[in-house]
Amino acid sequence: KNRLPYFVLAVLAWLVTVLIGQGIGYILSTPPPGLHVLTLRRSIPGLVIVLASSLVGISRLNARLERSTKEKENEHLRTELSFLRTQVNPHFMLNVLNSMALLARKKSDLLEPVLMELARLMNYMLYDAANERISLEDEIGYLRAYIDLQMLRFGTDVKVRFNVPEQLNGSCIEPMLLIPLVENAFKHGIGLIDDPVIFIDIDTEGHGQLKMTVKNKYNPRVRQEAARPSGIGLANLKKRLELIYPGRFQLEKTDSLHIGAAEEESWFIITLNIPLE
């Protein structure tokens, strides 16, 4: 930590050694007065050795410190990512249980099939989502199960279009990385909306890239609701993306997009681009 004082002391030690050697030379022989130039020249290799050994020692110390720092950073990132992943399941379960409570309140016959669908999703979360990576095909199957669960709840009250590529080429991604986009669409794209529509498009035709776009209508009259805390879904997703794909992902949101010929419709669009592995 005190490199400059160390180098100064090393040089002073070398000079003291030279002077002591010069003094011993005066005692044992009768050289001409003054500092002998030849003695200085012979002492230069010693100075070079001292400085070189110091540089080597400092370099090795820096390498050890850098490795230690890197290991601590990696451990911190792994811990943070693990924490973020554990947040996903309770957040998802909260949304599902809210849906089931509504069906139970209505004494709906759909409660039993919803429970069965939930069992399928729980199997995925307990066994598959614990892995570091999962096949894109399994992740899309999980999305389908979640959409089926929501359709059991809403029936024909909501229109959902889900487009996925026919060939997925065995690509893998982080588990439960896509579900927050779909959850957000169902959460904000259903209530107080005429003819609610949700479009979900997944494309893998890019150069090793996955592009997912989710569109949903929203009611501008309840726009102020967006100012409220909206949960951990999208915020959690962004933090996970920053840890998994630093500088290699795009998460873009477009709000209040007015389209339509007959009347203006307000849409919320979110697009995710990540590299496939």
Side-chain angles (χ1 to χ4, degrees):
K1 295 181 179 180
N2 300 308
R3 297 175 185 176
L4 181 60
Y6 174 81
F7 278 114
V8 173
L9 290 174
V11 173
L12 289 176
W14 171 75
L15 290 175
V16 170
T17 303
V18 172
L19 293 175
I20 292 175
Q22 187 74 9
I24 294 175
Y26 274 111
I27 295 173
L28 299 179
S29 61
T30 56
L35 189 61
H36 204 294
V37 176
L38 183 59
T39 303
L40 285 175
R41 289 179 178 175
R42 289 176 179 175
S43 303
I44 289 177
L47 176 62
V48 173
I49 291 173
V50 170
L51 296 179
S53 62
S54 301
L55 291 174
V56 171
I58 290 174
S59 298
R60 295 178 62 184
L61 177 61
N62 285 340
R64 287 197 299 269
L65 291 176
E66 186 175 352
R67 285 197 300 269
S68 177
T69 302
K70 192 67 175 178
E71 289 174 359
K72 290 180 181 179
E73 290 178 353
N74 290 338
E75 183 63 28
H76 174 73
L77 293 179
R78 285 193 295 267
T79 302
E80 185 176 358
L81 180 58
S82 177
F83 171 72
L84 291 172
R85 290 179 66 180
T86 58
Q87 280 187 311
V88 174
N89 290 356
H91 179 262
F92 165 79
M93 287 301 301
L94 177 62
N95 292 338
V96 173
L97 290 175
N98 286 335
S99 300
M100 294 174 60
L102 179 62
L103 293 175
R105 192 177 301 118
K106 294 180 178 179
K107 302 185 184 304
S108 173
D109 294 335
L110 294 176
L111 184 58
E112 182 178 352
V114 166
L115 286 171
M116 297 301 296
E117 199 68 41
L118 178 61
R120 288 179 54 198
L121 297 177
M122 288 294 296
N123 182 74
Y124 172 88
M125 289 187 291
L126 288 174
Y127 299 105
D128 295 331
N131 300 323
E132 292 295 327
R133 291 289 185 272
I134 192 171
S135 70
L136 181 58
E137 183 177 2
D138 288 342
E139 182 73 3
I140 290 178
Y142 173 64
L143 292 181
R144 290 188 187 277
Y146 177 80
I147 294 172
D148 290 343
L149 181 64
Q150 295 296 335
M151 295 305 292
L152 284 173
R153 172 188 173 186
F154 295 109
T156 58
D157 293 337
V158 59
K159 175 184 177 183
V160 178
R161 186 191 70 187
F162 187 31
N163 292 328
V164 297
E166 295 182 359
Q167 300 294 331
L168 299 176
N169 301 322
S171 301
C172 295
I173 63 171
E174 172 86 3
M176 300 190 75
L177 197 62
L178 307 180
I179 189 65
L181 305 181
V182 180
E183 278 188 291
N184 186 74
F186 275 98
K187 180 178 180 181
H188 300 286
I190 303 297
L192 300 178
I193 299 172
D194 296 330
D195 299 325
V197 179
I198 297 175
F199 296 150
I200 305 168
D201 296 286
I202 296 177
D203 182 19
T204 59
E205 295 182 359
H207 299 288
Q209 294 283 321
L210 179 143
K211 180 179 180 181
M212 181 176 182
T213 302
V214 180
K215 307 178 183 180
N216 64 270
K217 287 184 182 181
Y218 73 90
N219 189 338
R221 290 176 296 177
V222 292
R223 186 181 180 87
Q224 61 272 18
E225 293 290 332
R228 297 183 182 179
S230 57
I232 65 171
L234 294 183
N236 180 297
L237 172 63
K238 186 175 181 181
K239 290 181 181 178
R240 292 175 67 197
L241 291 170
E242 290 172 348
L243 292 174
I244 303 169
Y245 308 108
R248 298 184 296 140
F249 76 93
Q250 290 180 334
L251 185 64
E252 300 177 350
K253 294 180 286 185
T254 303
D255 201 355
S256 299
L257 181 66
H258 299 289
I259 61 175
E263 60 182 14
E264 288 189 341
E265 296 175 343
S266 297
W267 291 77
F268 181 82
I269 304 174
I270 186 165
T271 302
L272 171 66
N273 283 278
I274 57 174
L276 290 174
E277 300 178 356

